[in-house]
């Protein structure tokens, strides 16, 4: 059996040999983040995928992220080290369900959170991530929009905009486990700590936080020299990067239960196997990709 350092060294050598770029989400296991070329949030990773020009993209994240990369980087082979790494929120909406909603609410453009399938994106007008959801909704000229599938991100955006938002009742099971008392107990213990939470958290949780941020936003917020202690209301994997990039600062995860089991399916051994075999590949039929690409590109083209 090889140790972690040997596996990591083999991965790096093989990635170089094969002109492969390794992208990892902020929730990945620490050892996976450490061998990646780039670690980031959903928006940053889709921007990297679009610009990479690599022959192979190994996507260490969940299926919708790899699918998004495959759509916007059609010249690259996109590999997901575990084909079962899905996102339960993305599976909470179907094309048939979205079509019914569109029929009931005609004339309202559809804003689709990137945590969705390629087919749902293809039925939508524009995508968003947690980093740009407010900006995307504000960019739409219509006074009302349909927002799918995350109701909590939708509620968060509703508080920042005058537009009327029609929600789909999806949610992230990992973030739904985070409760306001988790934040309040930690605040009582660490009165100087800033509480940052993800907009996928329940509105009651966002209400007691100091900042509501995407995972990339949390990485930037933690670098503020004025703050030294943080309560972190999102998936536990981000703690690795926060601590690594901010030695001397303190980070308190809100709940040991805030773990995304799908993100944790990706291991170093699977990354190596994927590079060796160039499997499993994530492919999107061009008829779907063509429409979904429009929704993703509209988001990526938004400036400011
Ligand atoms: P970010 O885009 O903020 O990294 O979030 C992705 C995600 O899946 C959160 O659960
Ligand atoms: Fe999906 Fe939640 Fe996991 Fe993010 S943390 S990938 S939204 S299940």
């Amino acid at each position: 059996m090889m140790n972690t350092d040997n596996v990591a060294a083999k991965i790096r050598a093989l990635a170089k040999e094969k002109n492969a770029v390794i992208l990892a989400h902020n929730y990945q296991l620490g050892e996976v983040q450490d061998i990646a070329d780039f670690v980031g949030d959903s928006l940053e990773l889709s921007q990297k995928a679009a610009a990479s020009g690599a022959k192979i993209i190994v996507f260490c994240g969940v299926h919708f992220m790899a699918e998004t990369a495959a759509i916007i980087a059609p010249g690259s082979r996109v590999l997901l080290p575990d084909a079962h790494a899905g996102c339960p929120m993305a599976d909470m909406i179907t094309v048939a369900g979205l079509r019914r909603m569109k029929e009931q609410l005609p004339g309202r453009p559809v804003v689709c959170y990137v945590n969705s399938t390629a087919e749902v994106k293809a039925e939508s007008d524009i995508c968003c991530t947690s980093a740009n959801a407010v900006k995307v909704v504000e960019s739409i000229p219509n006074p009302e929009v349909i927002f799918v599938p995350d109701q909590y991100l939708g509620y968060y955006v509703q508080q920042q905009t005058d537009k009327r938002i029609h929600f789909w009742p999806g949610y992230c099971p990992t973030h739904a486990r985070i409760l306001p008392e988790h934040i309040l107990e930690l605040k009582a213990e660490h009165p100087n700590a800033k509480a940052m939470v993800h907009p996928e958290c329940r509105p009651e949780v966002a209400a007691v936080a100091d900042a509501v941020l995407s995972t990339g936003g949390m990485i930037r917020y933690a670098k503020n020299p004025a703050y030294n202690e943080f309560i972190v209301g999102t998936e536990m994997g981000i703690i690795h990067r926060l601590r690594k990039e901010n030695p001397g600062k303190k980070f308190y995860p809100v709940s040991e239960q805030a773990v995304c089991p799908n993100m944790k399916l990706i291991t170093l051994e699977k990354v190596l196997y994927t590079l060796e075999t160039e499997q499993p590949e994530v492919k999107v039929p061009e008829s779907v990709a063509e429409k979904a690409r429009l929704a993703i590109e509209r988001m990526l083209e938004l400036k400011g």
Side-chain angles (χ1 to χ4, degrees):
M1 184 146 160
M2 277 190 287
N3 70 27
T4 305
D5 288 348
N6 287 344
V7 181
K10 277 195 149 198
I11 290 172
R12 289 308 326 156
L14 204 51
K16 196 168 171 210
E17 186 187 311
K18 293 200 171 193
N19 182 19
V21 61
I22 303 177
L23 303 181
H25 187 264
N26 288 321
Y27 296 160
Q28 287 290 289
L29 292 171
E31 63 207 46
V32 174
Q33 294 187 30
D34 291 345
I35 53 89
D37 293 290
F38 183 79
V39 185
D41 68 11
S42 309
L43 180 63
E44 294 160 343
L45 292 173
S46 51
Q47 287 163 335
K48 281 280 165 194
S52 90
K55 195 166 140 241
I56 295 175
I57 296 174
V58 178
F59 211 113
C60 302
V62 291
H63 192 266
F64 75 81
M65 296 179 177
E67 221 177 34
T68 303
I71 293 166
I72 51 177
S76 305
R77 232 175 121 84
V78 178
L79 310 174
L80 177 64
D82 190 316
H84 300 290
C87 168
M89 184 208 287
D91 295 331
M92 287 180 191
I93 183 162
T94 59
V95 169
L98 178 53
R99 284 191 183 148
R100 266 197 308 277
M101 194 174 184
K102 283 164 71 171
E103 272 163 29
Q104 285 158 6
L105 294 162
R108 278 80 162 183
V110 178
V111 179
C112 169
Y113 189 26
V114 73
N115 297 36
S116 53
T117 61
E119 288 79 8
V120 166
K121 288 184 179 76
E123 279 291 318
S124 303
D125 295 283
I126 185 165
C127 277
C128 75
T129 75
S130 63
N132 61 15
V134 176
K135 184 165 85 177
V136 167
V137 168
E138 284 285 296
S139 76
I140 291 169
N142 307 49
E144 295 188 24
V145 301
I146 292 172
F147 190 95
V148 298
D150 186 8
Q151 59 180 308
Y152 297 143
L153 178 60
Y155 289 145
Y156 171 70
V157 176
Q158 182 64 90
Q159 284 158 14
Q160 324 286 318
T161 180
D162 292 333
K163 294 187 191 293
R164 171 147 187 233
I165 299 183
H166 300 273
F167 309 103
W168 183 266
Y171 65 95
C172 163
T174 298
H175 285 85
R177 282 185 214 121
I178 300 173
L179 301 174
E181 49 266 39
H182 296 138
I183 310 272
L184 295 172
E185 279 160 24
L186 281 167
K187 275 193 163 204
E189 253 177 80
H190 309 285
N192 294 325
K194 291 282 170 195
M196 48 185 184
V197 306
H198 198 273
E200 286 177 14
C201 289
R202 298 166 183 276
E204 315 87 88
V205 172
V208 295
D210 296 293
V212 180
L213 298 162
S214 72
T215 62
M218 289 184 190
I219 298 289
R220 287 185 290 279
Y221 186 75
K223 299 212 163 113
N224 186 329
Y227 310 140
N228 288 313
E229 286 183 81
F230 303 86
I231 295 161
V232 185
T234 193
E235 210 273 349
M236 293 277 294
I238 197 171
I239 299 289
H240 172 79
R241 188 168 166 205
L242 287 169
R243 289 191 177 140
K244 188 172 160 183
E245 294 185 7
N246 302 280
K249 294 197 180 191
K250 293 206 170 85
F251 298 94
Y252 312 113
V254 278
S255 162
E256 304 284 329
Q257 287 173 21
V259 173
C260 173
N262 289 286
M263 285 281 178
K264 272 38 190 184
L265 286 175
I266 312 296
T267 62
L268 274 190
E269 285 75 12
K270 288 182 197 169
V271 175
L272 179 56
Y273 184 78
T274 289
L275 269 169
E276 284 167 347
T277 60
E278 299 187 17
Q279 291 294 335
E281 184 175 1
V282 173
K283 282 187 174 174
V284 181
E286 190 46 34
S287 56
V288 176
E290 201 185 348
K291 290 191 199 137
R293 196 175 293 125
L294 283 176
I296 300 166
E297 283 176 353
R298 279 188 198 123
M299 165 184 86
L300 294 176
E301 279 159 15
L302 275 188
K303 298 275 176 283

